[in-house]
Amino acid sequence: MYNTPKTSYSLVGTAVPRHDAWAKVKGDQAYSDDWAMPGMLYGKVLRSKHAAAILRGVDTSKAEALPGVHAVLTAKDVPNNIDISKFGQMRDVGGGFEGLYKALADGKIRSRGEAIALVAAETEEIAEDALKLIKVDYDVQEGVFDPREALKPGAYIVSSEDTSNKIMETKVEKGNVEGAWKDCDIIIENDYHTTPHDHAYLETECGMAWMDENGVVTLRVGTQVLEHYRTIARILGLPHTKVRNMSVMMGGGFGGKEDITVETYLALLTYKTRRPVKMVWTREESLEVHAKRHPEYLHYKTGATKDGKILCQEAHIIMDGGSYTYLTPWVQMYSTINGPGPYNIPNLLSHSVSAFTNNTLSSANRGFGATQVNFAYERQMDELARALNMDPYEIRLKNVVKNGDEISTGFVLEGHIALTEMIKKIREKLEATPKPDRLPDGRKVGRGIAVGQMSYGRLCFLHDSSRCAIRVELDGTITLRAGVPDVGAGQASALAQICAEELGLPIEDVHPFIMDTHLTPLCGTSTATRQLYMAGNACIMATRFVRDIIARKAAKLLDCNPDELTFRDKQIVFINDPQKSIPFVTVVGHVSNDGELLFHEAQFNAPFTEVPDLTNIKGRIHPDMTFTGHGVEIAVDEETGEYEVLRIIACMDCGKALNRNSVEGQMEGGAVYNLGWLREDLRWQKGVTKGNSFSTYLIPTSVDTPDVETVVIESGGGLGPYGAKGVGEPSDNTICPACVNAINDAIGVSFHTTLVKPEQICLALHEKKQRGANG
Amino acid sequence: MSEMIKVSFTLNGKPVTYNVAAQTSLLRMLRDNYNYDVKCGCEEGDCGTCTVLVDGVSHKSCITLAAQVEGKSVLTVRGITYGDDEAGHLLQKNFVECGSIQCGFCTPGLIMVSKEYLNNGGIADRSAIRRAISGNLCRCTGYKKIIDAVYKTAKEIGREERQNV
């Protein structure tokens, strides 16, 4: 009802600059670290040197005695050290979805870098000196670092609270897998592995906190989940009204600022010292301790007819949850449901188990479980095409879901499915020029494609909602209030654009005030590619409520019906006679004078379902899906193993591109983000992160990627404003398998891991040569 | 206690003197004195977020000692914003209009290296721009729209255009 397509737009669909772009380009945008207060202390975290240990004791006496130190806190100083992790959902959903959350280590140390103690001191240097004076008595344990080992009987138990390392087990099943294998002409079976991946936003985790004059613990910390204030309040034993986050624009998030980062530590330190406290994590700290993308071990078995129709597929997934639960069960839902990919497979089984290990914890990272399985099923699809000597486009066209088809859980999507069109467009674009076998410099050339699906909007059983408020000022400008965390993807600006579109105003006339837990209506998390869908719809509801009041007043003044009028160029005009109009601001004056409402706060609810049976997930688990694809061309130097991505074609059905620059920006940035996954190596060794700086953990630079060529499809078939779908996370999922497929096309080596560095290509080519010589 | 030194230099056209500990980096000196337009991304010289121009040459301020700018001229992004350098303003406008900005955290540093590229006679050549900005990381954009903005600016200030194949 709130998605009535408009026939013409003035702002929607354009590349209008975001409301905050000028502040950022001028150097005026303040982030979490760009604040200071008189009397401010510096907070530092003492982190475990060992990945697995029993914490025997912590002696803080020497640190406390150091001049300039105001507080040294350990687990015993935390009012409620143990809680459950929640991510802004309204209720406990059960089913293992709420995991243990500890503010500070207690009992077993579960990963290297786990927080043991906090210090607040007058300078950063004194705080660092104090950390060195804290004596920790560790009883070092063997630990377990591979989830497959962790699940075996007799494995080292990671946690002091559980008796098993298993976090969750879940399954999606359809048809009769066992019975279907016999009907297949071909069966292929492969193991895949995806590596941990860091978000590597350029702004590390940081912020400050202070006590306000009424005893409210006040934070200024950029976070993707404002609703964490509730968890912080529980940890401190305070009512929800006494913890506030006046949050601020983030220097990137990508899921890495979805979990609590510095907030709890800052709140504890400021509550104890009654002084403002600042904390900034170093890059090393950020790379070592914040959550990573789940490493997964995936076993795929696929059966098809000789003409390429898939009859049957089994996926068994083992996920490394790392040290704590955090979002593992949620990520696992995404991996399990998306396990079969966007294919119409009559008989399927997607089974997953997650386990604790003593590795850095795993949690949200752009792609959220969908990206790991996307790698596996798209590599598997290429393997199948090769085995059948089939064209990689044809085999996909033959099997992809179309409108009206069921997805793995038996649910039929309400939104549009544009996969067929996408595959054809990618092919057309990639094959516009014939593929050379080699470049003039001798490098071998290969091409690859991959498609994928990912939801936008949260799991429906979380009963997600979002709010937005509009107030019309008497000069005809608009104050928009929204608790919308902005990670830099333009979340807030999109709301301003929607509001301006609806009221026929320039975007400059709408000012968004955002991200305050207690002054702006909570929009819910900037996660799950949900914000445009959820807050966007809430914004349309709020704006149209106010617009209707103004339209009725204008109709009265113009002696006509409201439906004869439209809002355009700061005027309210007759649709059929655009010369006749009345200024928007004039009507606003009349509404105000007559004592009618010029404000409204609206709430949009996503579809609600109940928690599914995890042993056999059925039905609507997500509101809808976004479908994406990448086509790439790669050149491989067979001598050095070095490869260069020559072309990236990114294709997506975004439903409706509200802001063209923002949609392309997500598609370009998403492609390069996961292009990095191929080479970014955290080099975990027994829980130690060796890739802990930007000189060892190498994210793509401008010379490591070509210009991404975007192909935007606008089917209008999404559940967001004006038919939009979510684009943020889905934009990165298919690049990695497309590249590895292209490498295979170039040199005939099939990699089953996401980590493909030149040395691995060299080694694989060497082995291939050996096999050739021996065979 | 570490030795304190006095550093006098020109910051965005104005003479300043800061008292700092001798080992202080240029980045810390600037940020400790509320020049928050200079961002800190790694403090190890890897990401380029803190790039400023010292006598017209780009420096990663986190691995430049404060003492090194004694008597020199330091330009940060606010120096462009509030200065009268028209090419700099055009560069900023094109970053805004080309959609080169997402989270914006890398933007001040990228403006500075782009400015250096144009100051040194850089032309509208995507490959050359790509190389010129390669010391500055951006995790959001995939770089294309940043290169678009520098290319457009070079063209608009009358520089030669070179199409890459």
Side-chain angles (χ1 to χ4, degrees):
Chain A
M1 119 193 220
Y2 295 100
N3 290 316
T4 328
K6 287 179 61 162
T7 47
S8 69
Y9 300 99
S10 52
L11 273 175
V12 163
T14 68
V16 60
R18 294 185 191 166
H19 81 282
D20 53 4
W22 273 108
K24 287 172 173 174
V25 83
K26 286 161 116 179
D28 289 342
Q29 178 70 56
Y31 298 82
S32 297
D33 185 21
D34 299 337
W35 313 83
M37 283 177 95
M40 187 172 80
L41 304 173
Y42 293 82
K44 285 274 172 192
V45 184
L46 179 76
R47 300 187 175 281
S48 173
K49 285 182 194 165
H50 303 284
I54 294 163
L55 191 57
R56 292 268 180 237
V58 189
D59 179 1
T60 58
S61 54
K62 281 192 179 152
E64 282 170 69
L66 185 71
V69 171
H70 287 250
V72 183
L73 306 179
T74 62
K76 67 174 171 30
D77 303 304
V78 183
N80 296 304
N81 190 48
I82 294 185
D83 194 48
I84 53 167
S85 51
K86 289 181 78 175
F87 295 85
Q89 76 265 33
M90 299 301 148
R91 54 175 193 155
D92 293 349
V93 290
F97 281 87
E98 286 87 14
L100 173 78
Y101 175 84
K102 269 187 202 174
L104 294 171
D106 190 14
K108 270 185 179 170
I109 299 276
R110 299 190 185 199
S111 64
R112 192 170 184 277
E114 185 168 348
I116 294 172
L118 305 172
V119 168
E122 276 165 26
T123 67
E124 220 175 330
E125 292 71 25
I126 297 172
E128 273 163 12
D129 288 343
L131 292 185
K132 291 175 200 148
L133 295 173
I134 300 174
K135 280 218 161 52
V136 182
D137 183 6
Y138 297 100
D139 178 359
V140 180
Q141 303 289 305
E142 59 190 297
V144 60
F145 303 97
D146 182 324
R148 296 166 299 181
E149 295 300 319
L151 289 166
K152 287 181 183 164
Y156 172 78
I157 300 295
V158 172
S159 129
S160 31
E161 289 80 13
D162 302 297
T163 52
S164 149
N165 289 325
K166 194 204 275 187
I167 301 173
M168 191 170 98
E169 183 164 2
T170 185
K171 202 166 69 180
V172 175
E173 219 173 347
K174 196 169 160 183
N176 175 5
V177 175
E178 280 314 309
W181 296 117
K182 65 174 176 357
D183 301 326
C184 300
D185 298 318
I186 185 167
I187 294 170
I188 58 161
E189 206 164 352
N190 287 299
D191 286 299
Y192 300 98
H193 173 225
T194 67
T195 48
H197 190 215
D198 191 82
H199 315 75
Y201 23 68
L202 290 180
E203 176 203 43
T204 62
E205 298 77 357
C206 59
M208 63 177 298
W210 66 93
M211 300 296 296
D212 86 353
E213 61 279 18
N214 295 314
V216 175
V217 176
T218 309
L219 298 146
R220 195 182 287 282
V221 178
T223 169
Q224 293 178 241
V225 181
L226 287 177
E227 291 79 358
H228 282 321
Y229 76 90
R230 299 179 186 132
T231 298
I232 298 156
R234 282 201 308 275
I235 298 288
L236 292 176
L238 296 173
H240 289 181
T241 49
K242 298 290 187 195
V243 176
R244 170 184 178 197
N245 190 354
M246 298 166 67
S247 191
V248 60
M249 184 72 69
M250 275 158 278
F254 313 111
K257 291 169 186 167
E258 180 163 345
D259 301 302
I260 290 178
T261 61
V262 297
E263 300 98 303
T264 313
Y265 307 147
L266 283 170
L268 286 164
L269 289 171
T270 200
Y271 193 64
K272 172 75 177 177
T273 61
R274 304 275 148 172
R275 293 266 293 260
V277 183
K278 175 180 252 196
M279 179 180 285
V280 184
W281 288 2
T282 63
R283 177 56 59 185
E284 187 180 323
E285 212 170 7
S286 176
L287 281 162
E288 288 183 0
V289 309
H290 85 228
K292 306 293 172 252
R293 174 179 289 161
H294 286 78
E296 295 190 5
Y297 296 86
L298 312 104
H299 181 84
Y300 270 71
K301 183 178 174 187
T302 308
T305 62
K306 57 180 179 301
D307 58 353
K309 178 79 194 96
I310 300 174
L311 296 181
C312 192
Q313 181 161 280
E314 238 182 77
H316 295 278
I317 305 160
I318 296 173
M319 299 172 63
D320 184 351
S323 53
Y324 283 90
T325 307
Y326 280 78
L327 284 157
T328 291
W330 314 39
V331 176
Q332 193 171 344
M333 290 293 280
Y334 281 62
S335 277
T336 317
I337 291 161
N338 294 302
Y343 298 110
N344 211 339
I345 306 176
N347 305 288
L348 64 85
L349 170 68
S350 182
H351 167 254
S352 64
V353 191
S354 51
F356 289 122
T357 65
N358 292 99
N359 291 323
T360 307
L361 64 101
S362 302
S363 196
N365 187 336
R366 194 178 197 171
F368 205 82
T371 207
Q372 290 94 328
V373 292
N374 206 146
F375 176 75
Y377 66 70
E378 281 305 87
R379 285 293 299 114
Q380 185 76 350
M381 204 53 149
D382 249 44
E383 297 285 320
L384 182 63
R386 274 171 187 277
L388 288 167
N389 202 20
M390 258 186 96
D391 176 297
Y393 300 95
E394 284 307 319
I395 197 162
R396 287 177 171 84
L397 285 170
K398 191 164 269 200
N399 290 286
V400 287
V401 285
K402 299 177 181 66
N403 285 338
D405 287 345
E406 287 180 357
I407 60 165
S408 65
T409 58
F411 178 65
V412 178
L413 300 175
E414 287 170 15
H416 182 72
I417 303 175
L419 282 163
T420 304
E421 187 185 351
M422 277 174 36
I423 293 167
K424 288 179 178 164
K425 286 204 178 205
I426 293 169
R427 172 171 225 167
E428 192 182 307
K429 198 112 170 138
L430 202 55
E431 294 189 347
T433 52
K435 186 193 84 152
D437 179 52
R438 287 181 188 273
L439 293 180
D441 60 18
R443 288 181 293 169
K444 286 280 278 179
V445 179
R447 285 175 177 172
I449 183 188
V451 296
Q453 67 176 30
M454 187 179 177
S455 51
Y456 59 94
R458 301 180 91 185
L459 297 157
C460 291
F461 57 81
L462 298 175
H463 293 197
D464 195 14
S465 60
S466 185
R467 287 143 290 272
C468 183
I470 301 294
R471 187 176 81 198
V472 185
E473 303 295 343
L474 295 184
D475 64 355
T477 60
I478 309 295
T479 291
L480 188 156
R481 291 184 302 115
V484 56
D486 200 318
V487 291
Q491 280 88 355
S493 204
L495 302 183
Q497 202 183 334
I498 289 168
C499 178
E501 174 73 46
E502 292 290 321
L503 295 175
L505 301 173
I507 191 168
E508 298 77 25
D509 282 9
V510 180
H511 192 94
F513 290 82
I514 61 171
M515 297 177 80
D516 188 315
T517 52
H518 288 69
L519 294 185
T520 55
L522 293 170
C523 291
T525 65
S526 280
T527 70
T529 304
R530 66 178 281 289
Q531 207 55 272
L532 176 64
Y533 162 48
M534 296 294 299
N537 277 333
C539 179
I540 287 198
M541 288 167 74
T543 308
R544 287 188 184 168
F545 182 92
V546 175
R547 191 187 64 178
D548 285 351
I549 293 171
I550 297 169
R552 281 198 298 273
K553 185 64 63 186
K556 208 170 165 197
L557 293 167
L558 295 169
D559 195 21
C560 66
N561 280 320
D563 54 14
E564 291 174 59
L565 301 171
T566 188
F567 290 62
R568 186 189 302 162
D569 303 328
K570 296 181 157 201
Q571 305 283 322
I572 299 168
V573 305
F574 279 91
I575 295 168
N576 294 327
D577 187 3
Q579 300 307 314
K580 276 172 69 184
S581 67
I582 182 168
F584 179 75
V585 66
T586 306
V587 185
V588 166
H590 282 275
V591 175
S592 173
N593 193 49
D594 294 346
E596 292 175 61
L597 300 183
L598 279 171
F599 61 90
H600 187 63
E601 179 174 330
Q603 173 164 325
F604 174 76
N605 291 339
F608 290 179
T609 60
E610 291 315 307
V611 182
D613 172 6
L614 294 177
T615 63
N616 187 10
I617 303 169
K618 288 277 176 224
R620 185 177 215 174
I621 305 300
H622 286 105
D624 193 26
M625 294 271 182
T626 299
F627 297 90
T628 56
H630 280 107
V632 299
E633 185 173 290
I634 270 182
V636 186
D637 183 326
E638 292 160 289
E639 259 180 63
T640 61
E642 189 51 72
Y643 60 93
E644 184 187 356
V645 182
L646 304 170
R647 286 185 75 191
I648 299 174
I649 292 144
C651 187
M652 174 185 281
D653 173 17
C654 69
K656 175 79 192 167
L658 264 69
N659 187 315
R660 192 148 291 275
N661 270 345
S662 292
V663 170
E664 288 175 3
Q666 288 303 304
M667 292 169 72
E668 291 160 10
V672 177
Y673 185 86
N674 255 18
L675 180 66
W677 198 19
L678 288 166
R679 297 201 193 205
E680 291 170 27
D681 190 357
L682 285 159
R683 293 191 286 145
W684 282 355
Q685 288 172 17
K686 292 225 161 213
V688 179
T689 304
K690 298 276 187 181
N692 63 358
S693 76
F694 280 157
S695 56
T696 50
Y697 187 79
L698 302 172
I699 72 171
T701 71
S702 55
V703 293
D704 298 324
T705 173
D707 287 339
V708 176
E709 304 164 52
T710 51
V711 180
V712 181
I713 295 173
E714 295 182 89
S715 67
L719 308 182
Y722 316 114
K725 292 187 171 211
V727 300
E729 291 181 86
S731 65
D732 77 350
N733 288 338
T734 50
I735 185 76
C736 213
C739 287
V740 179
N741 289 343
I743 290 170
N744 196 6
D745 184 47
I747 57 170
V749 175
S750 174
F751 287 97
H752 288 200
T753 168
T754 48
L755 189 67
V756 183
K757 297 199 281 188
E759 52 264 43
Q760 277 136 330
I761 292 187
C762 268
L763 191 66
L765 281 171
H766 179 71
E767 283 169 1
K768 193 183 163 194
K769 216 167 159 185
Q770 295 278 320
R771 277 198 308 273
N774 296 337
Chain B
M1 216 44 200
S2 45
E3 191 196 336
M4 297 298 283
I5 58 164
K6 204 176 257 189
V7 185
S8 297
F9 63 106
T10 306
L11 177 59
N12 297 331
K14 287 186 185 144
V16 290
T17 299
Y18 294 141
N19 289 310
V20 295
Q23 74 274 20
T24 307
S25 69
L26 174 57
L27 170 66
R28 286 295 178 121
M29 175 171 73
L30 291 172
R31 287 187 56 84
D32 287 350
N33 288 284
Y34 311 109
N35 297 292
Y36 287 142
D37 56 329
V38 186
K39 309 295 181 194
C40 173
C42 71
E43 223 169 349
E44 294 173 319
D46 293 327
C47 74
T49 305
C50 65
T51 305
V52 300
L53 301 189
V54 180
D55 284 350
V57 179
S58 64
H59 279 61
K60 291 174 174 174
S61 62
C62 68
I63 50 168
T64 305
L65 277 175
Q68 285 175 266
V69 302
E70 173 68 33
K72 297 193 172 167
S73 171
V74 174
L75 186 71
T76 74
V77 74
R78 279 198 180 153
I80 294 179
T81 304
Y82 300 105
D84 52 9
D85 167 14
E86 280 180 30
H89 293 161
L90 194 57
L91 187 64
Q92 290 178 314
K93 178 170 171 277
N94 285 330
F95 262 66
V96 169
E97 289 180 357
C98 294
S100 322
I101 299 163
Q102 288 192 31
C103 84
F105 204 76
C106 70
T107 307
L110 270 156
I111 290 281
M112 299 321 289
V113 285
S114 305
K115 185 71 186 63
E116 182 188 41
Y117 175 77
L118 297 172
N119 284 353
N120 292 342
I123 62 168
D125 175 334
R126 296 189 78 86
S127 296
I129 295 166
R130 203 177 276 291
R131 285 193 297 277
I133 66 165
S134 65
N136 287 54
L137 299 175
C138 167
R139 192 57 153 172
C140 298
T141 64
Y143 303 103
K144 179 174 180 284
K145 293 195 186 316
I146 294 169
I147 298 166
D148 287 347
V150 184
Y151 187 96
K152 188 160 179 263
T153 311
K155 218 171 102 175
E156 286 172 2
I157 61 173
R159 298 282 166 77
E160 180 198 334
E161 227 180 316
R162 191 174 298 162
Q163 303 289 340
N164 306 123
V165 280

